Amino acid sequence: AAVILDVSGDVITPGTAVPLETGAVFISGSRLTATKFFVSYVLTTVARGVVASVTGSTITLNTPANASNNNSEETSCATLVDDTTVMMAYHSAADTMRLVALTISGVGFSIADDELIDSNVSGPMGTPMVSKLDATRCVVNWYNNVAEFDCKAAIVTLTGGALTPGSILTYSTGAASRFYPAIGALSDSRIAAAYVYSDTMAVKTL
């Protein structure tokens, strides 16, 4: 479901929740404008997305559509260029890590590009995450549990609707470095990553 949370000081008041498609899992959201946001999720084995419109504390979900060219297990999304482009990372059912550039048009969207990032990612939890760096670049984060549960990241550039991935960085390795690494851009030249290390939570900058 999606819901608006109104904030007053340190008090949070929820609005009325609006259900997504029945069976939606691995849900991620990203701001488009002050009155519009994008939601990505997996329905069965399909990455889906929907543009949501906001009036006050009321959410109106527009028509959902498929958001990738491949079957998917997990998704994560981030807005790249104001309200016109969303980058959605997903772990495909074929055990690859991929990134999609979605072009937003009004209350709908279309797939601009669907690019392979890592060809060898074991499931079921590749745990993708994407964070905006600047108007043309984002960082994609995931872990690869094929061998040593490596935490990985790559910079991807969007040019004229086409995605170009940079080289893959392995920033933590070993069985203790597994499960749900998270990443966020502090600026266009510094990234913070959090991950499990020796059964404790660790944080580093990239």
Side-chain angles (χ1 to χ4, degrees), residues 68-93:
S68 74
N69 295 326
N70 302 274
N71 285 351
S72 174
E73 293 186 0
E74 296 144 316
T75 69
S76 174
C77 63
T79 304
L80 189 62
V81 186
D82 50 68
D83 61 344
T84 62
T85 304
V86 169
M87 308 295 267
M88 186 192 77
Y90 69 99
H91 173 199
S92 79

Short mmCIF file of all heavy atoms in Angstrom, two decimals, residues 68-93:
data_model
loop_
_atom_site.label_atom_id
_atom_site.label_comp_id
_atom_site.label_asym_id
_atom_site.label_seq_id
_atom_site.Cartn_x
_atom_site.Cartn_y
_atom_site.Cartn_z
N SER A 68 10.10 -3.33 -16.73
CA SER A 68 11.36 -3.91 -17.21
C SER A 68 11.06 -4.85 -18.36
O SER A 68 9.91 -5.21 -18.62
CB SER A 68 12.09 -4.64 -16.09
OG SER A 68 11.45 -5.88 -15.81
N ASN A 69 12.14 -5.26 -19.04
CA ASN A 69 12.01 -6.19 -20.16
C ASN A 69 12.28 -7.63 -19.74
O ASN A 69 12.32 -8.52 -20.59
CB ASN A 69 12.98 -5.80 -21.27
CG ASN A 69 12.64 -4.45 -21.88
OD1 ASN A 69 11.49 -4.08 -21.99
ND2 ASN A 69 13.66 -3.69 -22.27
N ASN A 70 12.49 -7.86 -18.45
CA ASN A 70 12.83 -9.19 -17.97
C ASN A 70 12.05 -9.51 -16.70
O ASN A 70 11.64 -8.60 -15.98
CB ASN A 70 14.34 -9.28 -17.65
CG ASN A 70 15.21 -8.95 -18.84
OD1 ASN A 70 15.51 -9.81 -19.66
ND2 ASN A 70 15.62 -7.69 -18.95
N ASN A 71 11.89 -10.79 -16.41
CA ASN A 71 11.30 -11.18 -15.14
C ASN A 71 12.19 -10.70 -13.99
O ASN A 71 13.41 -10.61 -14.12
CB ASN A 71 11.12 -12.69 -15.06
CG ASN A 71 9.95 -13.16 -15.90
OD1 ASN A 71 9.17 -12.35 -16.42
ND2 ASN A 71 9.83 -14.46 -16.06
N SER A 72 11.59 -10.43 -12.85
CA SER A 72 12.30 -9.77 -11.76
C SER A 72 11.97 -10.40 -10.42
O SER A 72 10.90 -10.96 -10.23
CB SER A 72 11.93 -8.28 -11.73
OG SER A 72 12.50 -7.64 -10.63
N GLU A 73 12.94 -10.29 -9.48
CA GLU A 73 12.72 -10.75 -8.12
C GLU A 73 12.64 -9.60 -7.12
O GLU A 73 11.94 -9.68 -6.13
CB GLU A 73 13.83 -11.72 -7.71
CG GLU A 73 13.80 -13.02 -8.49
CD GLU A 73 14.81 -14.03 -7.98
OE1 GLU A 73 15.53 -13.71 -7.02
OE2 GLU A 73 14.89 -15.12 -8.54
N GLU A 74 13.39 -8.51 -7.34
CA GLU A 74 13.39 -7.38 -6.42
C GLU A 74 13.61 -6.09 -7.20
O GLU A 74 14.21 -6.11 -8.28
CB GLU A 74 14.50 -7.52 -5.37
CG GLU A 74 14.33 -8.72 -4.47
CD GLU A 74 15.65 -9.37 -4.11
OE1 GLU A 74 16.50 -9.54 -4.99
OE2 GLU A 74 15.82 -9.70 -2.95
N THR A 75 13.14 -4.95 -6.66
CA THR A 75 13.33 -3.67 -7.32
C THR A 75 13.73 -2.60 -6.32
O THR A 75 13.52 -2.72 -5.12
CB THR A 75 12.05 -3.18 -8.03
OG1 THR A 75 11.06 -2.83 -7.06
CG2 THR A 75 11.50 -4.22 -8.98
N SER A 76 14.32 -1.52 -6.85
CA SER A 76 14.58 -0.30 -6.08
C SER A 76 14.62 0.84 -7.09
O SER A 76 15.08 0.67 -8.21
CB SER A 76 15.91 -0.39 -5.34
OG SER A 76 16.22 0.84 -4.71
N CYS A 77 14.11 2.02 -6.73
CA CYS A 77 14.06 3.10 -7.71
C CYS A 77 14.51 4.42 -7.10
O CYS A 77 14.48 4.63 -5.89
CB CYS A 77 12.66 3.24 -8.29
SG CYS A 77 11.38 3.71 -7.11
N ALA A 78 14.96 5.33 -7.97
CA ALA A 78 15.35 6.68 -7.56
C ALA A 78 15.12 7.61 -8.73
O ALA A 78 15.37 7.26 -9.89
CB ALA A 78 16.81 6.74 -7.14
N THR A 79 14.63 8.83 -8.46
CA THR A 79 14.43 9.83 -9.50
C THR A 79 15.78 10.43 -9.88
O THR A 79 16.57 10.81 -9.01
CB THR A 79 13.49 10.93 -9.01
OG1 THR A 79 12.26 10.33 -8.59
CG2 THR A 79 13.20 11.92 -10.12
N LEU A 80 16.06 10.51 -11.18
CA LEU A 80 17.35 11.01 -11.63
C LEU A 80 17.29 12.45 -12.10
O LEU A 80 18.09 13.27 -11.69
CB LEU A 80 17.89 10.12 -12.76
CG LEU A 80 19.33 10.39 -13.19
CD1 LEU A 80 20.29 10.14 -12.05
CD2 LEU A 80 19.71 9.55 -14.40
N VAL A 81 16.37 12.77 -12.98
CA VAL A 81 16.30 14.12 -13.54
C VAL A 81 14.93 14.72 -13.22
O VAL A 81 13.94 14.37 -13.84
CB VAL A 81 16.51 14.10 -15.06
CG1 VAL A 81 16.59 15.51 -15.61
CG2 VAL A 81 17.75 13.31 -15.43
N ASP A 82 14.88 15.61 -12.25
CA ASP A 82 13.65 16.21 -11.73
C ASP A 82 12.49 15.22 -11.81
O ASP A 82 12.53 14.17 -11.19
CB ASP A 82 13.35 17.55 -12.40
CG ASP A 82 13.38 17.51 -13.93
OD1 ASP A 82 12.51 16.88 -14.51
OD2 ASP A 82 14.28 18.13 -14.52
N ASP A 83 11.46 15.51 -12.60
CA ASP A 83 10.29 14.62 -12.59
C ASP A 83 10.17 13.84 -13.90
O ASP A 83 9.11 13.31 -14.21
CB ASP A 83 9.02 15.42 -12.35
CG ASP A 83 8.77 16.47 -13.44
OD1 ASP A 83 9.71 16.78 -14.19
OD2 ASP A 83 7.64 16.99 -13.52
N THR A 84 11.26 13.73 -14.67
CA THR A 84 11.14 13.13 -16.00
C THR A 84 11.76 11.75 -16.13
O THR A 84 11.41 11.01 -17.04
CB THR A 84 11.79 14.04 -17.06
OG1 THR A 84 13.19 14.17 -16.78
CG2 THR A 84 11.13 15.42 -17.06
N THR A 85 12.67 11.37 -15.25
CA THR A 85 13.36 10.09 -15.39
C THR A 85 13.52 9.40 -14.04
O THR A 85 13.98 10.01 -13.08
CB THR A 85 14.76 10.26 -16.01
OG1 THR A 85 14.65 10.92 -17.27
CG2 THR A 85 15.43 8.91 -16.23
N VAL A 86 13.15 8.13 -13.99
CA VAL A 86 13.35 7.30 -12.82
C VAL A 86 14.31 6.17 -13.19
O VAL A 86 14.17 5.55 -14.24
CB VAL A 86 12.02 6.71 -12.30
CG1 VAL A 86 12.26 5.63 -11.26
CG2 VAL A 86 11.15 7.81 -11.72
N MET A 87 15.29 5.92 -12.33
CA MET A 87 16.19 4.79 -12.50
C MET A 87 15.72 3.68 -11.57
O MET A 87 15.60 3.88 -10.36
CB MET A 87 17.62 5.19 -12.15
CG MET A 87 18.10 6.44 -12.87
SD MET A 87 18.21 6.23 -14.65
CE MET A 87 19.91 5.73 -14.79
N MET A 88 15.46 2.50 -12.13
CA MET A 88 14.99 1.38 -11.32
C MET A 88 15.97 0.22 -11.45
O MET A 88 16.17 -0.32 -12.55
CB MET A 88 13.60 0.93 -11.75
CG MET A 88 13.00 -0.15 -10.84
SD MET A 88 11.53 -0.92 -11.55
CE MET A 88 12.29 -2.02 -12.76
N ALA A 89 16.61 -0.14 -10.35
CA ALA A 89 17.48 -1.31 -10.34
C ALA A 89 16.65 -2.53 -9.98
O ALA A 89 15.73 -2.46 -9.17
CB ALA A 89 18.61 -1.13 -9.31
N TYR A 90 16.99 -3.67 -10.59
CA TYR A 90 16.27 -4.89 -10.23
C TYR A 90 17.15 -6.12 -10.39
O TYR A 90 18.04 -6.17 -11.23
CB TYR A 90 14.98 -5.03 -11.04
CG TYR A 90 15.12 -5.31 -12.52
CD1 TYR A 90 14.99 -6.61 -13.01
CD2 TYR A 90 15.33 -4.28 -13.43
CE1 TYR A 90 15.09 -6.88 -14.37
CE2 TYR A 90 15.43 -4.53 -14.77
CZ TYR A 90 15.31 -5.83 -15.25
OH TYR A 90 15.42 -6.09 -16.59
N HIS A 91 16.89 -7.07 -9.53
CA HIS A 91 17.53 -8.38 -9.58
C HIS A 91 16.63 -9.26 -10.43
O HIS A 91 15.50 -9.53 -10.06
CB HIS A 91 17.67 -8.93 -8.16
CG HIS A 91 18.17 -10.33 -8.07
ND1 HIS A 91 18.01 -11.09 -6.95
CD2 HIS A 91 18.83 -11.11 -8.96
CE1 HIS A 91 18.53 -12.28 -7.14
NE2 HIS A 91 19.03 -12.32 -8.36
N SER A 92 17.12 -9.68 -11.60
CA SER A 92 16.27 -10.43 -12.51
C SER A 92 16.14 -11.88 -12.07
O SER A 92 16.98 -12.42 -11.34
CB SER A 92 16.82 -10.38 -13.94
OG SER A 92 17.89 -11.30 -14.09
N ALA A 93 15.08 -12.51 -12.56
CA ALA A 93 14.86 -13.92 -12.26
C ALA A 93 15.94 -14.80 -12.88
O ALA A 93 16.10 -15.96 -12.49
CB ALA A 93 13.49 -14.35 -12.75
#
